[in-house]
Each structure stands twice: as C-alpha cells, then as structure tokens.
Amino acid sequence: MTDDNSNKRLTRRNALRIAGAAGAASLAGCGGSDGGDGSSGDGSSGDGSDGSSGDGSSGDESTDSGTQYSTLEVAHWWGEGDGLEAIQSVMDAFKEQHPDVPFDENLIAGGAGDNLQANIRTRVQNGNHPSTWQAWPGNNLLPFTDANLLKDIGDSVWSENSMEDAYLQGVKDAAQPAGNYVTVPLNIHRINNLFYNVEVVEDAGVDPTSLETPSDLVDALSTVNDAGYTGMAHQTGSPWSSFQMFATVLLGETDAETYSAIFVDGEVDANSDALESAVETTQSYLDYIPSDAGSISWTEANNQVINGEAAFLHQGDWAAGTYITNDLTYGEEWDHVTFPGTDGYYALNMDSFPYPVNNPSPEATTLWCQFVGTTEAQEIFNPKKGSIPPRTDVNTDPFNDFSKDQIEDFQNSDAQPPSVAHGLAAPPAVKSSLESAISSLNSGASAADVVSQISNAY
C-alpha cells in the first residue's frame, strides 16, 4: 500500500475483495452469531456520492470558521451499557471542540458486532461507506489494506499529539497491519487475566499467586474441585471463550515470539508440538467447568464466581465490571492474577477507527481520528468502558483501582501480543476457520486433529 492510497477509488472489484475476505466476527466477551442484516446499505447521513475530488470531499458544508466540512458519519456497535455511554461521551466532547463539523452517529448494534461489519461490507460495495467505523485493528483490517482501501494517516494523524511516542510497540503494530498507519486505537482490553473468588480459593487451600505455569492451574482446579467447588467458570456454547483460553495457554507455555509466529505468521507446522501441548492443557481445564457449560453464557458462568460456587474465571478485563456492579470489593472478595506463565505480557484486544480512502468527509474524519488519539478522548472513554487507554501518558485519576493496576501492567509490559480470538492476530477468514478448530477442541477431538485443522486455516 502506498502513500497515495487516498487517490484510489472504492471500485467494485476491490469492494468484492472485502466482501469475500471479511468473515464472521464476534465482539469480545459476547460470542455472537454470524452475519447480521446490513443489506440495505443505508444509514448514511452524508451525500452518499463517490465525491468529486481524489479524497472524496464534496465540500458542500459551509461553516462559521470558513472551513467546509461534509457530514462526519461515525458508525459503531456499542448499543447499550458502558460502551454506549463511553462512546457518546467521546462524541459529545468532539462536537464541543468542533461545533462546525456536521456529525452523524450511526449505531448499528446487534450480532456481537457482526451487523456493523456486514453493513460496512455492503456499503463498501455500494460506494457509500461511512467516514469511519469501529473496527478491530491488526490483521482484521488486512482485507481492506490488501485492496488498498485504507489511507496512510501517518503524517495527518499519527504525527500529531505525540501519538507515536505515547503508544507501545504492540499497539503501533496493530495500527499498521500493512506497514503504515491506517487506524487509531481508542481502548485496550486485556485477555490474559485469571480472576478468582478470594473466599473460595482460600477455603480450598489454593494460592493463585503461586501458579507459575498453565499446568499449575490444572492442579489448582483439581484441588478446588475436591473442596466441593467448580474449578473454572466457563462456557463452551460459542467457541470464543475456549479460543482465547487456548491462545493464552499457548502464550503461557511458550513466549510472545512463538505466539506471533503461529497466529500472526501462520508458522503452524513448525510449532505443532507446542500447539498440541496447549490443546491438551486447555482440554484438561474443561474437566473442571460447569456441567451446563454448553448452554450458558460467560456472564452466567461468571455468576458462579460471584455467588461463591466457582473459583476461577479466565476472561478479558471486561469481567471486572460484573464484580464492580455486584458491589464486590476488589482485593477482598474478588481478585486476579496474570494468567500463569504470561507475566510480562499484555495480550491485546482493541477497538479502533480506520480512515477509508475516497472519504466522504476527509477533513472532518482527520479531526475525528486525531481526537481519538488524544489523552482527553481516551481519559473520557476508558473509565466508562472498563478498558484502559492505549496511550501511556494518561492521567490515571479517573480509573478504578483494578484499572490502575492494569494500566501499570500494560506500561511495564515486555510485549503486547495481539488477540487471535478477537481478530487482531489473524485475518477474518483465518479466524473463522480457527474457530472451527476450537469447536473441535471443545468437543474432545485429539490434539493432533485440532492442530491439523489449525494448520489448514492458514
């Protein structure tokens, strides 16, 4: 992809590449169904044209400042709860700073993010895509960069607000999947957490801080089970929970370099022994999950931790919100450790806002992307969302004690490997095939068979 991508048009050929390459996706912590409507391709409040200039600007909005802006359409899937409040607070702050920018919030909720992604694919084909949209960064965006459909924003955005200096390398890598910056991360959710009920583990005689390897956790789960509790709160009805667990086990049994070689670079056959070991360890955990794990959600499984029926939960840091809303005291009633074997790593799941070429509102979209990358926007969004900022120079005062601990871990981390279960490490089509392999893992397939399916995914 070259620096003059802004002069490329969203041709039907390129659009069809997007439609064919972009597979099913599931939002972190949701495990939603495939697909979504997205068929009408509407929802745009802009002029819907291909634009008359190389960058797609229609230039039909006059403002008091004399600058002309077309309507900025920002599409996202945060339809309820903390996510909706968080993104609307950011939008309100942006509109206060830029009252002369016509603004359209386009909420496309449902389908665990699939509805939005299907809508984007359809609108790309129809040539009326929004100014920007919520998207996982990293290799999730490769179908777009392969088709030269995202603009290089290194100079226009990443050179502003000391962004490059304020982001760690793992985040910067995810923002430039094809070698140049095309998107701006707004938040980070950590994947390699192990939460636990303090009273349960103490009653069972287990010390979570002593667990050094993923295999140590197997022994702890057995001890908890013998004490009369469920070892691991977990669901298997959707593959994503076991997918992120398996990837975290692999990280804990190997290292960040091996993890990336497998999931980012697709070097599966050269690392088959490590993969088989991770499959076997993960399947050992499944001996200590709820008996109805196949029919419950992760939140229903987590209720067992909250109610003192289960000891552990492996989950992204969004799980902390459930403990906080249930008025459990951090460090006394619930706590967490870094997943055994992954000390020094901060496994990333992120949301970002890319800049598409032939943009219907180029100047306004640049302003939006610049704002998303500021400490102000990230300090507004993340305390409400329960995530942490990608920037390392934020004020931590607005954050709760758990998030402050996460921020400290992030800023002191040795590496920030991208989540494969949530779209950052592998392109959508590969991720979809990997989910099928994890379904086999859940069903008790042999480690060799699961690894063979993983190999075939690449």
Side-chain angles (χ1 to χ4, degrees):
M1 190 167 64
T2 60
D3 289 352
D4 63 352
N5 281 346
S6 59
N7 294 323
K8 295 183 179 292
R9 297 180 63 81
L10 292 181
T11 63
R12 181 166 179 79
R13 175 181 296 178
N14 280 345
L16 289 174
R17 292 178 67 180
I18 294 294
S26 58
L27 178 61
C30 295
S33 60
D34 186 17
D37 53 19
S39 58
S40 65
D42 57 12
S44 172
S45 65
D47 58 13
S49 68
D50 286 340
S52 57
S53 67
D55 62 7
S57 173
S58 62
D60 58 0
E61 296 282 352
S62 297
T63 68
D64 292 340
S65 67
T67 304
Q68 293 181 326
Y69 294 108
S70 295
T71 299
L72 173 67
E73 181 190 353
V74 178
H76 68 92
W77 67 59
W78 286 302
E80 60 183 3
D82 51 11
L84 180 59
E85 179 185 2
I87 191 59
Q88 288 183 335
S89 295
V90 172
M91 291 175 175
D92 288 343
F94 175 83
K95 287 184 283 187
E96 183 176 351
Q97 284 195 16
H98 302 285
D100 49 353
V101 175
F103 196 98
D104 175 26
E105 175 191 1
N106 186 5
L107 169 60
I108 305 174
D114 290 349
N115 289 357
L116 172 60
Q117 297 185 63
N119 181 278
I120 295 300
R121 293 195 295 270
T122 299
R123 292 182 59 183
V124 165
Q125 294 182 71
N126 292 342
N128 71 333
H129 61 90
S131 308
T132 186
W133 58 88
Q134 178 188 356
W136 297 324
N139 285 350
N140 176 63
L141 293 176
L142 281 181
F144 290 88
T145 58
D146 286 348
N148 290 330
L149 299 180
L150 295 181
K151 178 181 172 68
D152 184 338
I153 54 174
D155 290 337
S156 62
V157 176
W158 278 83
S159 64
E160 303 292 321
N161 303 311
S162 302
M163 281 180 61
E164 280 209 272
D165 293 336
Y167 282 72
L168 297 185
Q169 192 59 48
V171 180
K172 291 192 286 189
D173 289 345
Q176 43 184 337
N180 49 14
Y181 291 110
V182 295
T183 194
V184 181
L186 174 61
N187 66 320
I188 294 174
H189 281 295
R190 188 184 196 179
I191 303 302
N192 57 319
N193 303 288
L194 183 65
F195 297 97
Y196 58 92
N197 182 300
V198 173
E199 182 178 354
V200 170
V201 298
E202 288 180 350
D203 186 56
V206 170
D207 178 9
T209 65
S210 70
L211 306 178
E212 297 181 354
T213 69
S215 294
D216 289 345
L217 181 55
V218 177
D219 295 335
L221 296 178
S222 176
T223 300
V224 168
N225 182 76
D226 291 343
Y229 302 98
T230 297
M232 179 74 75
H234 191 68
Q235 68 85 25
T236 58
S238 298
W240 67 269
S241 290
S242 293
F243 195 180
Q244 64 181 16
M245 178 185 287
F246 161 72
T248 304
V249 168
L250 179 73
L251 180 63
E253 291 187 341
T254 59
D255 50 43
E257 291 76 18
T258 303
Y259 175 99
S260 292
I262 293 171
F263 291 127
V264 178
D265 301 328
E267 298 176 4
V268 175
D269 295 341
N271 294 285
S272 59
D273 289 345
L275 283 161
E276 287 190 18
S277 176
V279 170
E280 291 169 351
T281 301
T282 305
Q283 288 179 329
S284 295
Y285 296 163
L286 301 185
D287 291 334
Y288 303 102
I289 63 176
S291 59
D292 58 351
S295 61
I296 60 176
S297 67
W298 81 266
T299 53
E300 291 171 321
N302 193 31
N303 283 338
Q304 295 191 21
V305 176
I306 293 171
N307 297 332
E309 303 169 47
F312 292 102
L313 173 79
H314 169 250
Q315 199 52 260
D317 57 15
W318 50 84
T322 62
Y323 306 128
I324 293 170
T325 57
N326 278 274
D327 295 324
L328 299 182
T329 303
Y330 175 50
E332 296 180 12
E333 295 174 282
W334 70 279
D335 211 331
H336 84 292
V337 292
T338 303
F339 195 89
T342 68
D343 282 344
Y345 298 142
Y346 206 98
L348 302 175
N349 182 33
M350 295 185 288
D351 296 290
S352 71
F353 287 91
Y355 191 115
V357 301
N358 198 38
N359 200 289
S361 58
E363 295 88 356
T365 305
T366 297
L367 290 176
W368 170 260
C369 288
Q370 289 175 347
F371 184 65
V372 166
T374 63
T375 56
E376 178 184 355
Q378 295 182 17
E379 289 169 9
I380 291 171
F381 181 87
N382 289 284
K384 292 181 171 64
K385 182 64 174 64
S387 47
I388 72 165
R391 294 188 66 118
T392 58
D393 55 351
V394 295
N395 177 12
T396 61
D397 289 346
F399 294 85
N400 60 46
D401 289 343
F402 169 75
S403 293
K404 288 178 181 177
D405 287 346
Q406 295 283 83
I407 291 171
E408 182 178 2
D409 283 354
F410 171 65
Q411 295 184 356
N412 292 314
S413 60
D414 299 319
Q416 306 85 42
S419 170
V420 63
H422 302 285
L424 275 69
V430 173
K431 174 179 172 292
S432 180
S433 296
L434 290 174
E435 287 176 340
S436 297
I438 300 303
S439 293
S440 296
L441 181 156
N442 278 338
S443 300
S446 70
D449 181 55
V450 174
V451 173
S452 177
Q453 291 183 57
I454 292 173
S455 179
N456 291 337
Y458 289 91

